[in-house]
Amino acid sequence: DIDRGVKWWIQSGKEYNEEKLCWMLPVYKYKNADLPMNMLKLLMRGQVTTGFTGRQGSGKTTMMVAAISQVDARFNIRVLEMAPEMYLREIYPQRNILSVAETPTVNAAMLQDALKKSDAALSIVGEVATDVIAARMIQMGQVASIFTIFSHHANRTVDLVHALTNSIVSASGGSATPATVEPQVIDVIRVDCHLDYDVLGNRYIERITEIIRLDSQPYPERLPGESAEDYKIRLDKEYYTRQTDRQSFTTRDVLVFNPHTFTYDVARDANGKPVFFSPELTKHIFSRLPVDEVQQWKDWVNKYWFDDELGKKAGD
């Protein structure tokens, strides 16, 4: 078995190993594992700002370290951490990587200002665990680099957006409000890769989710035959709805995990059709892929998500 490259993971209730005195299960228990692996590779090659979320011990840092292997090797990588965890310079010694961490005399703000002057192509925030780090992470995603990856302990994508918004508002000392901050958070963070594990310690990517902004829709135009007064009333109603009840973003799962069968699959809508990223994000990804990789990625996406009979093609 060892010669054939078969490795084993500890798992209760399968095959008992007398030597190790534990229950064993093959590592290939995860079905369609190439699906999330290729999706993460596509996100890194497509330069998409991605958050790796989940509870402690779910494998966020390990997943980030692995994802970095798919980033263009010519990109300069700048890492901001509260405490050294990733050790990227040791793992990728041939890459241009600068890692910094807070000290009692050097805070995150000073470090981020220094990183902005260091020609970063990819910014990494090891763990967004404080209000100040959250604010700095969003700023890095806006001005400091091409794209950003980070980890966070949010349980849901909605919680991730709200937690970052509240952290930035808190760090601003009252000079910002959720209404002004949330659109910026949504503009920066495009994808949430959520990790989890079960009671037996099996770790997995629970879902990969896109964050889609909704409040960028234009205000309604005047209808034929509609009076100026009625049109004004309708515009006022739309305005106050957007300012109060209307949600500014929605989420869309594109990949999900079935913990009962240990199978990865594409997410599907109510009609059973596969759901892919929004046209805007799809265009962003394919416009940044290396030219020689575009066709193979189009073929891969079409294979799992698009119905060729309808003439739909990824990236068109």
Side-chain angles (χ1 to χ4, degrees), residues 177-189:
T177 65
T180 59
V181 171
E182 188 171 271
Q184 299 180 56
V185 173
I186 300 167
D187 283 341
V188 171
I189 306 171

Side-chain angles (χ1 to χ4, degrees), residues 15 37 48 75 85 87 119 151 155 165 169 199 214 225 270 295 312 314:
E15 181 177 335
M37 290 170 58
V48 178
F75 283 1
E85 287 184 298
Y87 302 105
D119 298 327
S151 68
N155 293 320
T165 299
V169 171
V199 294
L214 296 177
Q295 189 56 52
K312 295 179 179 179

Side-chain angles (χ1 to χ4, degrees), residues 10-311:
I10 299 175
Q11 169 72 35
S12 176
K14 295 300 177 182
E15 181 177 335
Y16 194 74
N17 186 306
E18 296 288 350
E19 247 181 70
K20 298 185 178 181
L21 302 178
C22 60
W23 295 93
M24 313 296 285
L25 182 71
V27 71
Y28 48 78
K29 59 187 174 183
Y30 296 96
K31 303 178 183 66
N32 294 340
D34 61 318
L35 198 57
M37 290 170 58
N38 284 327
M39 176 58 74
L40 287 176
K41 182 177 180 179
L42 178 62
L43 293 173
M44 296 299 104
R45 302 296 284 174
Q47 304 169 18
V48 178
T49 294
T50 304
F52 292 82
T53 61
R55 50 183 169 154
Q56 291 181 342
S58 59
K60 299 185 298 298
T61 301
T62 302
M63 187 64 67
M64 290 172 63
V65 172
I68 292 166
S69 67
Q70 304 302 328
V71 175
D72 193 319
R74 295 168 295 182
F75 283 1
N76 298 336
I77 299 176
R78 301 296 178 253
V79 188
L80 174 62
E81 298 181 279
M82 295 185 65
E85 287 184 298
M86 303 183 73
Y87 302 105
L88 295 182
R89 290 169 60 92
E90 287 77 10
I91 299 173
Y92 302 107
Q94 303 302 321
R95 297 206 176 188
N96 186 331
I97 300 175
L98 172 62
S99 300
V100 295
E102 286 186 301
T103 69
T105 56
V106 181
N107 58 34
M110 299 166 64
L111 291 173
Q112 195 230 9
D113 290 339
L115 291 179
K116 284 193 295 185
K117 303 172 184 177
S118 63
D119 298 327
L122 168 62
S123 295
I124 300 174
V125 181
E127 182 176 346
V128 181
T130 65
D131 294 342
V132 174
I133 293 293
R136 291 290 169 176
M137 186 274 295
I138 294 298
Q139 190 180 68
M140 291 172 74
Q142 291 174 320
V143 300
S145 57
I146 299 174
F147 69 112
T148 303
I149 65 175
F150 65 95
S151 68
H152 194 278
H153 292 295
N155 293 320
R156 302 179 304 162
T157 305
V158 173
D159 296 333
L160 172 64
V161 175
H162 291 164
L164 291 175
T165 299
N166 293 335
S167 292
I168 297 172
V169 171
S170 177
S172 71
S175 61
T177 65
T180 59
V181 171
E182 188 171 271
Q184 299 180 56
V185 173
I186 300 167
D187 283 341
V188 171
I189 306 171
R190 310 305 298 273
V191 174
D192 171 23
C193 177
H194 187 75
L195 295 92
D196 203 354
Y197 58 92
D198 60 23
V199 294
L200 298 176
N202 299 302
R203 293 176 174 84
Y204 50 84
I205 298 175
E206 184 182 82
R207 55 177 170 74
I208 294 179
T209 307
E210 180 186 2
I211 301 172
I212 304 173
R213 183 171 177 175
L214 296 177
D215 59 0
S216 59
Q217 298 296 320
Y219 278 86
E221 296 181 358
R222 185 173 178 177
L223 299 175
E226 184 178 27
S227 67
E229 184 178 357
D230 290 341
Y231 180 50
K232 182 179 183 304
I233 291 173
R234 194 156 61 88
L235 282 181
D236 289 344
K237 180 180 178 181
E238 178 69 16
Y239 171 78
Y240 287 111
T241 298
R242 294 189 182 196
Q243 295 299 315
T244 55
D245 298 334
R246 182 170 179 173
Q247 188 177 10
S248 61
F249 70 96
T250 187
T251 61
R252 172 188 294 178
D253 292 342
V254 296
L255 188 148
V256 293
F257 177 76
N258 186 329
H260 302 293
T261 61
F262 279 75
T263 304
Y264 289 99
D265 196 6
V266 300
R268 299 178 183 275
D269 61 17
N271 297 321
K273 293 185 177 181
V275 178
F276 193 61
F277 293 125
S278 65
E280 179 189 2
L281 182 57
T282 301
K283 183 177 180 180
H284 170 94
I285 292 173
F286 279 88
S287 67
R288 284 159 176 76
L289 289 174
V291 176
D292 58 339
E293 296 182 13
V294 171
Q295 189 56 52
Q296 70 183 55
W297 281 114
K298 284 187 177 183
D299 294 340
W300 180 76
V301 172
N302 282 312
K303 175 182 177 182
Y304 287 99
W305 278 275
F306 287 85
D307 184 358
D308 288 334
E309 293 179 1
L310 299 178

